[in-house]
Amino acid sequence: MGRRTVPAGARAASVTAAGTAPAAVPGPSVTSRGTTRLDARAVYFVSYDGLVNNNSFQKNGLLTYRGHQYAAWYTASRHAVVARRALTAGTWSTVTLPHRLKADDSHNVISMGVSAADGRLHLNMDSHSDGFCYVKSVAGLLDDPASTAWTGSVFGAVQTTLDGLALTPRFTYPQFVATPEDRLQLSYRAGISGNGRNALAEYDGSRWTALGEWTSATGTYTSEHGSSTARNMYLHGLDYDTRGRLHALFTWREQNAAVMRGGGITNHDTGYVWSDDRGRTWRNDAGAVVGTTGGPDTVAVGDGGLVVDPLDPDHCLMNQESQSTDSAGLPHAVISYVPGRFGQCTTDHVAARTAHGRAFHLRKDASGGWRKTEIPVPLGSSRRTKLVLDRYDNAYAVFPFGRIAAASRSSGYTDWTLLYDGGGLNAFGEVVVDETRVRADDVLSFLYQEKSTGTTPSPLHVADFALPA
């Protein structure tokens, strides 16, 4: 499928007082700019129904900075690889790092971050409720990439701390996010699934500091079926808006399966918190303080005002889906679950989500209310969908297998339409979206891996689509 747009009526401009109409704001569209191959033989094994090279909760497995794009993955030899290319070029240059993937576990992703204060590339990799591995480049590597050598010598040694800062022996889900002051923050989970806490560390251009934990695993959650006294918060993301506010949408996962009717996954509710002091203090949707990072009072399941879209654990709600913020600083998310019209969750959440799962666009509007719209594209998969907003705040949902649906801001995000069906990609499950490139040059890039069987390596690619400019 090629370029498509929403109906012209959805893009109609209003007439000004002077009687002239401003240029129409374009609706969403995608135009394929082709694909490039990163690796002919990337490591392949299915674990937790996903692949280690394209779990979409990576932030970032693919990123753009100063006219160059960077990607990280594990190749067939299990070595970690990092590559770069100029945005105007199709050829990637690769560097193999002195680290090999230690386990066939799709959680053990590679996440990258940029510290603009000193021009370094940071990589955190290979962890699932255990220790992590960390590598950073020399200072200035990213500041002038056209004249900087891309060789193994520009990366430091593999560490099991952040330059000597030890965090937790049970570390998972690294996500890097840059602050408005060009500091680099690292979000992670301490603990295990169903009994963990979210925490932050921060790099100021010279050293790492542990800011501490900001969520709690304790408290009692009770459903119509039973109760649980331990859990963890799964983030849909951490994102600073253009005004400097930090947004986090999330779901809870309970430790005790007694909260469910039958079986599956114990995820429930979509919640929301925000911070205006770079993640030190957290507030609920109404603005009340509900937690302090590193303090005795952290965000807990019993805190009021957290839930913005209630849902019980009987619907196969997915964790760690996707979020973004629009030009007005309003948060948006994609969440997915099995709607009640298809019955309740079964003991096989993969089968239930594949057969009946649907994605929903959840957003906060200018009046402060939350609106949810079902996207009329069956998931056909148990996996996650990514959300992207273009420069005009049109919304794009990048589904498993590389399918792309979109809705226009002018319609109030009610005109969701499939723009690209993923034909010819042969993609397995989730894709990893370059969130930074959309802002850099109005191109939607995503990393995907081809389907294979068993543990036979398969090609890894990056697909590019032009958005309205």
Side-chain angles (χ1 to χ4, degrees):
M1 300 175 70
R3 182 182 181 96
R4 292 182 58 188
T5 60
V6 296
R11 308 190 307 275
S14 61
V15 178
T16 66
T20 59
V25 174
S29 65
V30 295
T31 303
S32 175
R33 293 178 51 172
T35 64
T36 56
R37 191 173 70 185
L38 287 170
D39 193 338
R41 301 183 72 251
V43 70
Y44 187 98
F45 55 84
V46 179
S47 161
Y48 296 93
D49 204 34
L51 302 181
V52 72
N53 284 330
N54 69 339
N55 258 317
S56 66
F57 54 72
Q58 294 171 253
K59 195 179 181 80
N60 298 282
L62 185 68
L63 66 82
T64 293
Y65 185 74
R66 294 202 172 186
H68 279 66
Q69 190 173 41
Y70 300 83
W73 70 95
Y74 299 102
T75 194
S77 66
R78 306 178 70 89
H79 280 94
V81 175
V82 59
R84 76 173 182 186
R85 66 168 175 176
L87 292 182
T88 55
T91 303
W92 292 85
S93 299
T94 62
V95 168
T96 301
L97 299 174
H99 177 78
R100 298 182 74 240
L101 179 66
K102 64 191 177 189
D104 285 357
D105 188 331
S106 64
H107 290 81
N108 293 36
V109 299
I110 304 174
S111 293
M112 297 185 292
V114 174
S115 54
D118 60 358
R120 294 183 194 265
L121 182 66
H122 303 251
L123 296 93
N124 192 297
M125 51 195 174
D126 210 358
S127 61
H128 184 198
S129 300
D130 57 4
F132 62 83
C133 293
Y134 168 69
V135 176
K136 70 177 182 181
S137 76
V138 297
L141 175 67
L142 307 186
D143 291 335
D144 188 14
S147 60
T148 306
W150 187 250
T151 65
S153 64
V154 301
F155 290 94
V158 177
Q159 308 176 49
T160 56
T161 65
L162 298 178
D163 296 335
L165 176 65
L167 295 177
T168 172
R170 292 192 173 274
F171 179 101
T172 317
Y173 303 127
Q175 295 191 36
F176 288 106
V177 59
T179 74
E181 300 83 15
D182 290 336
R183 296 191 173 203
L184 182 65
Q185 294 181 323
L186 175 63
S187 167
Y188 61 95
R189 184 187 72 192
I192 62 174
S193 176
N195 191 7
R197 294 89 55 207
N198 290 335
L200 289 170
E202 188 174 84
Y203 180 75
D204 64 4
S206 60
R207 64 188 293 267
W208 283 98
T209 301
L211 301 184
E213 297 176 358
W214 63 275
T215 71
S216 171
T218 60
T220 299
Y221 167 79
T222 301
S223 74
E224 63 176 304
H225 311 299
S227 297
S228 177
T229 57
R231 71 206 43 82
N232 68 273
M233 176 194 288
Y234 277 114
L235 296 172
H236 292 312
L238 281 174
D239 294 280
Y240 283 97
D241 65 25
T242 56
R243 296 164 173 79
R245 175 167 291 180
L246 182 61
H247 302 262
L249 285 121
F250 62 87
T251 187
W252 296 105
R253 174 174 293 179
E254 297 300 321
Q255 185 181 63
N256 191 351
V259 300
M260 292 186 294
R261 181 187 306 271
I265 48 178
T266 57
N267 298 336
H268 64 90
D269 298 321
T270 298
Y272 170 67
V273 291
W274 55 271
S275 173
D276 274 348
D277 58 3
R278 309 304 184 252
R280 272 69 170 177
T281 304
W282 295 93
R283 298 177 181 271
N284 66 13
D285 190 34
V289 174
V290 288
T292 302
T293 300
D297 183 20
T298 52
V299 182
V301 72
D303 290 334
L306 298 182
V307 176
V308 296
D309 187 61
L311 190 71
D312 64 49
D314 290 330
H315 293 277
C316 298
L317 176 66
M318 178 51 78
N319 51 283
Q320 296 167 292
E321 202 111 27
S322 186
Q323 69 170 46
S324 188
T325 60
D326 64 25
S327 59
L330 297 171
H332 296 237
V334 163
I335 62 175
S336 65
Y337 56 89
V338 176
R341 66 180 183 270
F342 296 112
Q344 300 303 308
C345 177
T346 68
T347 56
D348 187 341
H349 72 272
V350 171
R353 286 179 54 83
T354 301
H356 302 301
R358 297 293 187 272
F360 297 80
H361 176 215
L362 178 68
R363 66 184 178 94
K364 188 171 186 176
D365 64 24
S367 67
W370 289 85
R371 297 179 179 271
K372 185 170 69 172
T373 303
E374 181 174 338
I375 303 174
V377 179
L379 290 182
S381 168
S382 68
R383 308 309 294 164
R384 300 172 179 88
T385 297
K386 295 294 289 183
L387 176 67
V388 172
L389 300 178
D390 68 18
R391 66 165 59 232
Y392 303 104
D393 288 336
N394 299 311
Y396 301 78
V398 188
F399 283 86
F401 318 123
R403 298 165 295 160
I404 305 172
S408 65
R409 176 187 177 184
S410 60
S411 74
Y413 305 100
T414 60
D415 57 356
W416 283 96
T417 305
L418 186 68
L419 301 185
Y420 177 71
D421 64 5
L425 297 183
N426 191 34
F428 177 98
E430 296 173 7
V431 302
V432 175
V433 169
D434 186 340
E435 300 173 7
T436 51
R437 185 168 186 186
V438 175
R439 298 189 294 271
D441 67 351
D442 303 302
V443 171
L444 169 60
S445 278
F446 62 77
L447 180 153
Y448 70 94
Q449 188 160 352
E450 291 189 28
K451 297 175 186 175
S452 186
T453 57
T455 57
T456 303
S458 68
L460 188 71
H461 307 271
V462 173
D464 299 325
F465 296 85
L467 303 180

